[in-house]
């Protein structure tokens, strides 16, 4: 019995790779296994090598694994015209040729010989490499089988049938999922293909491999969710009922999920002409009394700089989403990177104030989205959730009971009309919305347009307590200091009144530390577990509070270790730079492990980075990662 299955299905964009993998992941989850998926796809609608990887085990899995052990290669049925091979190569066989380097020794390959010819196989030296690596190769005419019973697109179903036979899996959960998703003749044809592929494989092939699907069980009901699902559901449970946006990968997933759900709960979703309009509409909706949000990815978020500054100056609560992808400019739109941190922290002009959370897993994405809404409306300040393509699209199983929480529609520091009667007004009757004299924690409670006694002016200029434009130096200092006090008060609340949003790993008394943020958390956690099992003394912290920065907890962590390695997916060590900005005295204690090739970290890369970086081994990492020495070295 195998310890884990890491199944990779590869084909072309448009070949149904994503939907097939999601259903297979659900089937593995329903069989009692923990699952974790990883998507790799090009920025093309049709054609171009794409794959999804599913890691399944009878224990918790928090990250993609090191390589994989089962390849289902469908070929690319939407490959570019062969006349373009001079530049792009033979795209039809890339779902086979570009996946061989990471296949583990003893692994299984199933390829569609209805699309991938023997000539193609010889071109990539498959037989020779299979002998060298003890791979078990199964050519199957998946396309022919699909055409015999239905349509060519059903070859995915045939591939799943072959997979299940080779792994000695029961078909029950796969059949149930197919029945849930389709009906009539389509369902009947798919079930015929599934069973014929399954039986044919068991009858015609000898099983000399030892790879089998693991066995496991769940004590509670599980759901398969992505980070985008978690952020959307967190927003709904926080009372958000307005979203405006413009599609841009990978933020579009959150936008789509909320747009699909809002009609059933009285919410409003607006797709507008650009990101400036999207953020401006969200500011307006919030000003009018609705919990509102917007979002985008790198270049689109850049356009939101001006509305974000307006929300900060008018103290309009707002939640924005920034889904990072590899940049700059268009960059690699479908690949993960953590290189927008400084952009999100400092975009907009002047001494701006905002809250920034960076969740590292599904549960944190849900909880920190709810927290972002609560903080934003309590303190009348924009809050931003920053995450990346990896967390956005990876699926993992979560205990359904985790989401059994009470909703939070409360509008925070918003006054009722009764409270407004007792509030401060000027001689003309205007409400002192921006009163700096009695503002607890820097917060001057707000009114909503239409409330009796709540009239004031909202402007992007510096303003008096009732909102009139003011350039008086004393007023400027008073208003600025009041707004700045909010971040100090938020930090105090996070430190003293709430459970920590940072996540810790390893023994408390470890000598060495690994620090990370965002979606690299799972790979770091597994690497720390391996290192300690090997006899090293390592612990880790995954930081979520970017602004106001988790100064107390990060200080305590750095004081407790001899050296620390900061792991992040960018080329310029942005998170380590933030730590050094906030905690300069630790600069000589931190080194960096950086990756920015468009692929997320694997646990083995972090283990090797530690061995080179902190254990002082005289060599360089073999993976495409980069080490940055400590400040002053």
């Amino acid at each position: 019995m195998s310890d884990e299955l890491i199944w990779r299905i590869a084909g072309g964009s448009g070949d149904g790779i994503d939907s097939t993998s999601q259903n297979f992941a659900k089937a593995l989850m329903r069989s009692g296994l923990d699952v974790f998926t990883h998507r790799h796809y090009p920025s093309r609608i049709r054609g171009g090598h794409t794959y999804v990887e599913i890691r399944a085990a009878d224990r918790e899995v928090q990250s993609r694994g090191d390589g994989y052990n089962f390849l289902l290669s469908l070929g690319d049925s939407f490959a570019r015209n062969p006349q373009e091979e001079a530049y792009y190569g033979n795209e039809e066989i890339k779902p086979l040729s570009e996946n061989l380097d990471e296949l583990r020794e003893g692994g299984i390959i199933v390829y569609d010989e209805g699309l991938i010819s023997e000539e193609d196989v010889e071109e990539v030296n498959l037989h020779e490499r299979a002998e060298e690596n003890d791979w078990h190769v199964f050519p199957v005419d998946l396309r022919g089988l699909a055409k015999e019973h239905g349509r060519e697109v059903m070859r995915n179903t045939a591939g799943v049938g072959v997979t299940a036979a080779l792994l000695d899996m029961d078909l029950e959960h796969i059949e149930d999922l197919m029945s849930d998703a389709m009906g009539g003749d389509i369902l009947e044809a798919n079930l015929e293909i599934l069973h014929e592929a399954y039986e044919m494989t068991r009858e015609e092939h000898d099983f000399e491999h030892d790879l089998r699907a693991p066995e496991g069980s769940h004590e509670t009901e599980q759901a398969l969710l992505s980070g985008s699902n978690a952020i959307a559901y967190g927003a709904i449970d926080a009372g958000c009922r307005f979203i405006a946006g413009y599609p841009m990968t990978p933020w579009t997933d959150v936008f789509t999920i909320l747009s699909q759900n809002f009609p059933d709960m009285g919410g409003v979703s607006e797709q507008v002409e650009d990101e400036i309009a999207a953020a401006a509409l969200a500011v307006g909706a919030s000003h009018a009394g609705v919990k509102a949000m917007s979002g985008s990815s790198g270049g689109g978020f850049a356009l939101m700089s001006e509305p974000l500054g307006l929300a900060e100056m008018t103290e309009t609560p707002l939640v924005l989403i920034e889904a990072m992808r590899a940049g700059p400019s268009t960059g690699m739109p479908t690949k993960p990177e953590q290189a927008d941190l400084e952009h999100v922290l400092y975009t907009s002009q002047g001494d701006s104030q905002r809250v920034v959370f960076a969740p590292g897993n599904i549960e944190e994405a849900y909880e920190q989205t709810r927290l972002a809404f609560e903080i934003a409306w309590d303190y009348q300040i924009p809050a931003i959730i920053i995450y990346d393509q990896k967390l956005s699209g990876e699926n993992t199983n979560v205990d359904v009971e985790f989401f059994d929480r009470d909703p939070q529609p409360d509008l925070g520091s918003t006054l009722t009309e009764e409270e407004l009667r007792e509030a401060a007004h000027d001689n003309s009757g205007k409400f002192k919305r921006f009163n700096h004299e009695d503002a607890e924690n820097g917060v001057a409670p707000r009114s909503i347009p239409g409330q009796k006694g709540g009239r004031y002016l909202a402007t992007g200029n510096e303003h008096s307590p009732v909102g009139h434009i003011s350039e008086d130096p004393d007023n400027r200092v008073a208003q600025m200091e009041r707004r700045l006090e909010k971040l100090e008060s938020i930090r105090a609340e996070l430190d003293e009144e709430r459970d920590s949003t940072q996540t810790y790993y390893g023994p408390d008394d470890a000598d060495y530390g690994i620090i990370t943020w965002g979606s690299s958390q799972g790979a770091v956690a597994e690497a720390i577990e391996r290192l300690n099992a090997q006899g090293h003394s390592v612990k880790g912290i995954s930081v979520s509070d970017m602004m106001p920065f988790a100064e107390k907890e990060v200080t305590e962590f750095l004081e407790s270790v001899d050296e620390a390695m900061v792991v992040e997916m960018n080329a310029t060590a942005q998170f380590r730079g933030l730590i050094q900005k906030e905690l300069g005295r630790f600069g000589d204690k931190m080194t960096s492990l950086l990756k920015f090739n468009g692929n997320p970290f694997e646990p083995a890369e972090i283990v090797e980075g530690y061995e080179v970086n902190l254990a002082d081994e005289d060599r360089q990492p073999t993976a495409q990662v980069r080490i940055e020495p400590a400040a002053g070295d």
Side-chain angles (χ1 to χ4, degrees):
M1 185 67 64
S2 304
D3 176 59
E4 66 178 6
L5 167 69
I6 306 182
W7 182 77
R8 181 180 289 190
I9 178 172
S13 292
D15 278 327
I17 303 301
D18 193 53
S19 57
T20 302
S21 64
Q22 282 213 27
N23 283 331
F24 192 59
K26 287 179 183 177
L28 291 167
M29 178 188 73
R30 291 185 181 184
S31 74
L33 300 176
D34 277 23
V35 298
F36 190 98
T37 73
H38 165 64
R39 290 195 303 171
H40 175 100
Y41 59 103
S43 53
R44 287 167 56 183
I45 296 173
R46 282 193 179 273
H49 172 219
T50 180
Y51 70 77
V52 176
E53 198 174 270
I54 301 172
R55 187 182 187 192
D58 61 351
R59 64 181 189 284
E60 182 181 15
V61 285
Q62 305 178 66
S63 163
R64 67 180 305 204
D66 304 322
Y68 68 101
N69 52 20
F70 193 120
L71 173 63
L72 172 58
S73 177
L74 300 178
D76 186 348
S77 59
F78 296 99
R80 286 184 173 97
N81 190 302
Q83 293 178 352
E84 299 183 77
E85 283 188 21
Y87 187 77
Y88 293 105
N90 184 354
E91 289 196 331
E92 197 168 73
I93 66 169
K94 285 186 177 182
L96 176 63
S97 62
E98 293 191 355
N99 287 298
L100 298 179
D101 290 345
E102 296 172 286
L103 182 61
R104 293 178 180 178
E105 186 174 336
I108 294 174
I109 298 174
V110 175
Y111 71 86
D112 186 357
E113 64 177 348
L115 186 65
I116 300 173
S117 67
E118 181 61 29
E119 182 180 336
D120 294 331
V121 169
E122 291 176 0
E123 181 181 329
V124 299
N125 298 318
L126 178 60
H127 298 306
E128 181 180 332
R129 295 186 66 177
E131 187 174 345
E132 292 173 355
N133 294 281
D134 192 28
W135 292 337
H136 305 272
V137 181
F138 299 90
V140 182
D141 186 3
L142 303 175
R143 174 185 264 187
L145 185 59
K147 285 182 175 180
E148 181 182 340
H149 292 275
R151 295 182 298 168
E152 182 179 324
V153 70
M154 296 177 182
R155 66 198 184 106
N156 298 26
T157 301
V160 170
V162 174
T163 296
L166 292 172
L167 294 175
D168 198 22
M169 286 178 61
D170 190 274
L171 293 177
E172 176 186 0
H173 297 297
I174 300 171
E175 292 169 338
D176 289 345
L177 285 161
M178 291 171 63
S179 298
D180 292 342
M182 59 187 79
D185 293 342
I186 298 296
L187 173 60
E188 185 177 341
N190 272 279
L191 288 174
E192 287 180 2
I193 292 170
L194 178 73
H195 283 277
E196 181 163 339
Y198 186 86
E199 296 301 332
M200 178 192 68
T201 303
R202 296 179 71 88
E203 292 172 5
E204 296 183 7
H205 294 283
D206 296 327
F207 292 8
E208 298 178 357
H209 61 276
D210 58 4
L211 182 62
R212 299 291 185 272
E215 295 180 356
S217 63
H218 294 298
E219 295 181 359
T220 58
E221 183 181 358
Q222 302 290 300
L224 188 69
L225 298 175
S226 68
S228 296
N229 290 123
I231 290 171
Y233 300 156
I236 289 171
D237 287 351
C240 178
R241 292 299 181 269
F242 180 90
I243 187 168
Y246 184 83
M248 190 173 187
T249 302
W251 125 267
T252 306
D253 287 350
V254 170
F255 187 31
T256 301
I257 295 166
L258 286 171
S259 298
Q260 291 170 339
N261 282 276
F262 271 179
D264 295 331
M265 55 188 64
V268 175
S269 169
E270 289 287 340
Q271 180 175 322
V272 294
E273 64 271 24
D274 58 37
E275 289 82 2
I276 300 173
L281 256 68
V283 172
S286 175
H287 176 75
V290 180
K291 281 191 170 179
M293 69 185 296
S294 184
S296 191
S297 300
F301 191 84
L303 295 175
M304 295 183 167
S305 176
E306 189 172 4
L308 173 59
L310 178 65
E312 290 172 335
M313 182 56 94
T314 59
E315 300 177 62
T316 303
L318 178 70
V319 171
L320 294 178
I321 306 296
E322 212 277 11
M324 295 177 287
R325 64 191 205 181
S329 189
T330 305
M332 296 193 293
T334 61
K335 301 299 183 290
E337 198 165 85
Q338 295 177 299
D340 288 357
L341 179 59
E342 292 179 350
H343 173 50
V344 167
L345 291 174
Y346 308 122
T347 190
S348 190
Q349 63 275 28
D351 291 316
S352 54
Q353 301 90 39
R354 80 281 309 259
V355 174
V356 180
F357 292 117
N361 59 42
I362 306 296
E363 291 88 349
E364 289 180 2
Y366 174 83
E367 291 181 331
Q368 290 173 28
T369 299
R370 291 193 61 158
L371 178 60
F373 274 95
E374 188 173 348
I375 293 291
W377 262 259
D378 281 349
Y379 289 89
Q380 301 167 23
I381 191 170
I384 301 171
I385 300 293
I386 182 172
Y387 65 114
D388 63 18
Q389 184 271 347
K390 177 180 182 294
L391 182 58
S392 169
E394 63 192 17
N395 286 276
T396 190
N397 58 292
V398 183
D399 189 337
V400 170
E401 294 179 358
F402 173 81
F403 299 99
D404 188 13
R405 320 281 183 95
D406 291 329
Q408 177 60 280
D410 183 70
L411 292 179
S413 56
T414 303
L415 298 178
T416 64
E417 288 192 349
E418 183 178 349
E419 291 169 329
L420 278 168
R421 285 197 291 270
E422 304 299 323
H425 294 73
D426 73 356
N427 293 333
S428 70
K430 289 190 181 74
F431 169 48
K432 289 188 176 180
R433 161 72 178 88
F434 307 105
N435 193 357
H436 53 73
E437 293 180 352
D438 300 308
E440 184 178 356
N441 296 326
V443 180
R446 70 175 188 142
S447 64
I448 293 173
Q451 286 183 308
K452 187 175 181 179
R455 180 169 55 95
Y456 70 94
L457 299 175
T459 173
N461 292 75
E462 187 58 271
H463 40 262
S464 69
V466 296
H468 284 288
I469 295 173
S470 173
E471 295 184 356
D472 176 73
D474 292 339
N475 177 75
R476 166 65 172 177
V477 171
Q479 296 288 10
M480 197 69 200
E481 288 182 343
R482 178 182 62 79
R483 291 191 294 263
L484 289 171
E485 185 184 348
K486 293 182 183 182
L487 287 180
E488 297 174 6
S489 301
I490 292 168
R491 186 68 261 163
E493 177 180 334
L494 292 172
D495 285 339
E496 299 167 12
E497 300 178 27
R498 294 181 179 270
D499 294 335
S500 172
T501 48
Q502 281 53 254
T503 304
Y504 294 85
Y505 300 97
D508 292 339
D509 59 351
D511 298 324
Y512 293 93
I514 298 179
I515 307 175
T516 194
W517 68 286
S519 69
S520 298
Q521 179 190 113
V524 166
E526 184 167 332
I528 289 172
E529 185 177 331
R530 292 186 196 179
L531 287 166
N532 283 297
Q534 294 170 9
H536 298 284
S537 179
V538 188
K539 65 180 179 179
I541 180 174
S542 177
V543 181
S544 290
D545 298 358
M546 299 292 136
M547 184 179 287
F549 186 67
E551 179 178 343
K552 180 175 179 291
E553 289 181 82
V554 178
T555 295
E556 291 174 351
F557 183 86
L558 284 167
E559 286 178 339
S560 71
V561 296
D562 298 330
E563 294 179 71
M565 181 174 74
V566 183
V567 176
E568 52 187 315
M569 288 191 293
N570 59 63
T572 53
Q574 293 185 22
F575 180 53
R576 176 180 155 193
L578 175 62
I579 299 174
Q580 291 181 190
K581 172 180 175 289
E582 299 287 342
L583 308 171
R585 63 193 176 97
F586 295 108
D588 61 352
K589 188 178 267 193
M590 295 184 293
T591 56
S592 289
L593 183 67
L594 308 173
K595 188 174 184 181
F596 47 93
N597 68 351
N599 293 309
F601 278 103
E602 295 180 1
E605 294 171 337
I606 298 169
V607 169
E608 184 182 33
Y610 167 86
E611 292 168 347
V612 173
N613 221 350
L614 296 183
D616 295 324
E617 292 190 9
D618 187 20
R619 62 185 178 89
Q620 286 298 312
T622 56
Q624 285 185 330
V625 298
R626 193 173 82 195
I627 289 176
E628 289 290 330
D633 284 4

